[in-house]
Structure formats: C-alpha cells, structure tokens
Amino acid sequence: MKFAMVVDGCVQRSYFVQNKKSYKLKSDNLQSYTHHHSINNECHLGMWGWPFVFGDGYFINWTEWNELPDLDLDIIMVAIEKHPEKYNVSMLRNAYPNAMIISFIKEATWINSTPQQRLEFFQQCDHVTFPWDVPSNIKELERLLNKKVYYMPQPHDIDFLYEHYYNEERDPIILDYKAPERTSNNSIISDISNKHSLISKKHIVKYRGPMHRQWQEFLDGIKDCAFCFNLDDSLYGGSMGVQCAALGIINFGGMQDSHKILWPDLATNDEQILKEKFNQVINDATLHNTYIENAFIQAQSIYSHKAVKERFLKII
C-alpha cells in the first residue's frame, strides 16, 4: 500500500521512508532527512511518524511543489489548514486518481481558515479522522458534517523511545513541565518537592531552526526524571503523556485525552488528589511499578505504529 501524508505548509521538508529511515524527497541523491521533531532519520515525533507506519511512505509539503510529485498512491492523509484558497482536495484527486483521501487535523487552533472552510474540506474527503479521544467533539463534528468521524491517534514509535531513552536506574527527580503557549499551574510542585526533599527541574528547549535537534535534546534532558507534573488544562494537543509512558516517567496531572487513557487515576488538576496520589506512589514501589507498566502497555496498544496501523486499516 503506497501511503502519503500531505500538508499545505510547515517548516518540515518533503521526505520519504526507505528501510525505516527518512530521506529528503527533493534530492537527486539518497540524502538523509532530519528536522527538529525527529531523532536522526529513524524516529519522528507524533504525526511526522505517519510515513513510517506503512513502511515506505511519503510526506509531502505541498508548498514545495508547483506540480505534485509523480507517485502511484493508494492512500493520502491530508490536512489543509493554512492555504485553503490555494490548495484543495480536487487537486489531489486529479494528481492521484486512484487514491483514497482521508483528512486529519494537524493543528487544533493555529490555522488560517474559517470554520466553514474547514468543514468543506472535511466533506470533500472520503473519510474524516480526529486525533484526540474527546467524544463530545467527535459527536459535534459528526453532527455538523452528517458523516462518520473516526478517532485516529497520532502514531508514536514506542519501541524506539523505550530502547533509546528508557532508564532503569534514575533518581526521584520531578520534571516541572509546561507545554509552550499552554495554560497550566504547577505551583504544587514546590510543595511536593519540599515535603519529600526531592529535586524538581524545568527543561525548556527553545526552537533554534529546522535542523535543530530540539526533540532529541529535550528527551536527553528528561530521561533521568522519575515523575512529571504537567497540569495542562487543554483537552487535546501535545504528546507528553505518551512520551512519559514510553520512557517510564509517571505523569501527574493534565486534562488531555492521552493522560486519561494512560494515567486514569492521575489525570486531574485537583492539587489535593495529586498530593495524595504522589504520597502513595513515592512510598509504594509496587504501585510505582504498576503505574509504569500499565501506561506502557496502554501506549503500545493505542499509540504505537502497529496499533495505529491496525486502527487505520479498519476504516478504509
């Protein structure tokens, strides 16, 4: 099955996957391709991993091409969010007449299209997907479209992250995490760290350009932490919960769907509950290990490349 993911603009360049490694598509040679959300050319964060899910897949940044690349595609996942006046689904159908076209959402809010333009885009696709398990939002979108909307989480290479960043021996360090441009109140951390005489730290890695190994630098700085407090009050967006599950870091707090899936007992921003839960975990090694094991199993069953591929194949 020949697969491509298409977006109408981003800092990432077009690439393809061959033998589980990514290479620049607009190159006469086999030029390795990395970007700030990848680890070398072998592991890409979240949605950027889609071309790996089906083996030798493609990513196409539409803004690089006056004419779309000549490929024999079976499946296209597309997000048109920045230039709906310039790009549309009909253009994809003309270029790839044999391909099934499936929508996905790249950005929750940072888009350059009206709600009506976005709905029209969804209507034009063969299938519509939604990357967050928020039933009320999915039902509302189905109502607006009069069309089935499928929950389709972003893929994560759980095995790669575990093999390269899981640390069996680590100190009980608390990661004080706040996603960029997100609302969260992590004042609880000072109370907990003082009570238990633990070290807490922030690890902020600012974007320094497309070739900056931002994600890799971030993971290197958190892999020794045992706990993460992330009291993000957004229902969707981000993948920190999944990364914590892969690395064996227990995540406390946050309202995102992934937190509720991976850490159901800890997915709250109620400070009293979080303090009580932390007291239990820090004093019970068996409970500590149970949280880590359960979250890892859930991450594999829902967010891994294998699990996402199986879910995807059921809708086509």
Side-chain angles (χ1 to χ4, degrees):
M1 181 186 302
K2 290 296 184 181
F3 171 93
M5 179 177 77
V6 180
V7 303
D8 62 336
C10 61
V11 299
Q12 284 80 0
R13 302 295 87 188
S14 301
Y15 58 88
F16 68 98
V17 175
Q18 181 175 301
N19 297 324
K20 299 182 179 181
K21 295 183 178 181
S22 58
Y23 299 92
K24 195 172 183 180
L25 186 55
K26 296 194 79 170
S27 174
D28 295 331
N29 302 312
L30 202 60
Q31 181 180 346
S32 176
Y33 180 68
T34 63
H35 54 92
H36 68 293
H37 281 161
S38 72
I39 301 169
N40 299 318
N41 67 336
E42 299 175 80
C43 180
H44 294 230
L45 173 62
M47 58 166 278
W48 306 109
W50 270 111
F52 290 80
V53 170
F54 291 93
D56 298 344
Y58 296 83
F59 165 66
I60 299 172
N61 180 345
W62 208 335
T63 60
E64 288 186 88
W65 306 85
N66 292 324
E67 293 185 8
L68 286 162
D70 184 14
L71 302 170
D72 184 16
L73 298 175
D74 300 304
I75 300 289
I76 296 173
M77 282 195 75
V78 57
I80 298 177
E81 299 174 341
K82 293 188 175 182
H83 304 285
E85 79 291 344
K86 185 176 181 180
Y87 305 108
N88 57 63
V89 173
S90 294
M91 296 168 68
L92 287 175
R93 294 199 188 278
N94 289 335
Y96 307 109
N98 298 321
M100 178 181 291
I101 298 178
I102 300 175
S103 74
F104 78 99
I105 294 175
K106 178 179 180 290
E107 304 287 357
T109 55
W110 299 313
I111 62 173
N112 186 35
S113 62
T114 67
Q116 184 58 36
Q117 286 175 317
R118 211 169 200 189
L119 290 174
E120 290 173 356
F121 159 66
F122 292 144
Q123 288 284 17
Q124 293 165 7
C125 295
D126 296 314
H127 295 295
V128 178
T129 67
F130 194 80
W132 306 293
D133 189 11
V134 184
S136 60
N137 288 18
I138 292 175
K139 289 179 181 178
E140 176 62 12
L141 187 54
E142 288 181 329
R143 185 189 69 80
L144 292 170
L145 296 173
N146 192 28
K147 190 174 187 177
K148 175 71 174 176
V149 175
Y150 297 89
Y151 164 56
M152 189 61 56
Q154 294 182 353
H156 292 72
D157 195 338
I158 305 296
D159 289 333
F160 185 97
L161 293 175
Y162 177 82
E163 291 169 8
H164 291 81
Y165 291 96
Y166 178 81
N167 189 352
E168 184 71 35
E169 301 296 330
R170 65 183 87 194
D171 294 325
I173 298 171
I174 298 174
L175 175 65
D176 181 353
Y177 179 80
K178 181 179 179 181
E181 301 183 31
R182 294 288 184 127
T183 301
S184 61
N185 179 6
N186 285 9
S187 59
I188 183 179
I189 295 174
S190 60
D191 295 339
I192 290 177
S193 59
N194 289 335
K195 178 179 179 179
H196 297 278
S197 300
L198 299 177
I199 296 172
S200 66
K201 74 171 189 178
K202 296 181 180 181
H203 182 56
I204 300 172
V205 183
K206 294 185 177 180
Y207 175 67
R208 300 196 297 272
M211 300 310 295
H212 173 213
R213 301 287 181 85
Q214 183 184 22
W215 185 36
Q216 189 169 344
E217 185 179 335
F218 175 74
L219 292 176
D220 285 334
I222 71 168
K223 63 184 180 182
D224 293 331
C225 296
F227 312 105
C228 173
F229 275 77
N230 174 14
L231 276 66
D232 191 340
D233 59 8
S234 302
L235 294 179
Y236 42 75
S239 63
M240 189 59 186
V242 183
Q243 295 177 65
C244 284
L247 272 60
I249 301 171
I250 299 180
N251 184 86
F252 288 82
M255 306 305 295
Q256 294 178 13
D257 69 309
S258 59
H259 295 207
K260 294 177 182 179
I261 291 170
L262 299 167
W263 320 94
D265 294 348
L266 309 177
T268 176
N269 287 345
D270 185 305
E271 293 191 3
Q272 188 58 39
I273 293 176
L274 291 176
K275 287 179 180 179
E276 292 173 358
K277 292 293 184 181
F278 190 86
N279 286 339
Q280 295 171 10
V281 171
I282 198 70
N283 292 307
D284 188 335
T286 300
L287 180 62
H288 181 280
N289 292 334
T290 297
Y291 272 122
I292 292 174
E293 291 170 2
N294 288 347
F296 185 82
I297 291 171
Q298 282 290 86
Q300 284 279 37
S301 66
I302 295 174
Y303 298 103
S304 69
H305 286 186
K306 179 177 182 291
V308 172
K309 180 179 180 179
E310 290 176 352
R311 183 184 293 269
F312 187 90
L313 290 175
K314 290 178 180 179
I315 75 172
I316 62 175

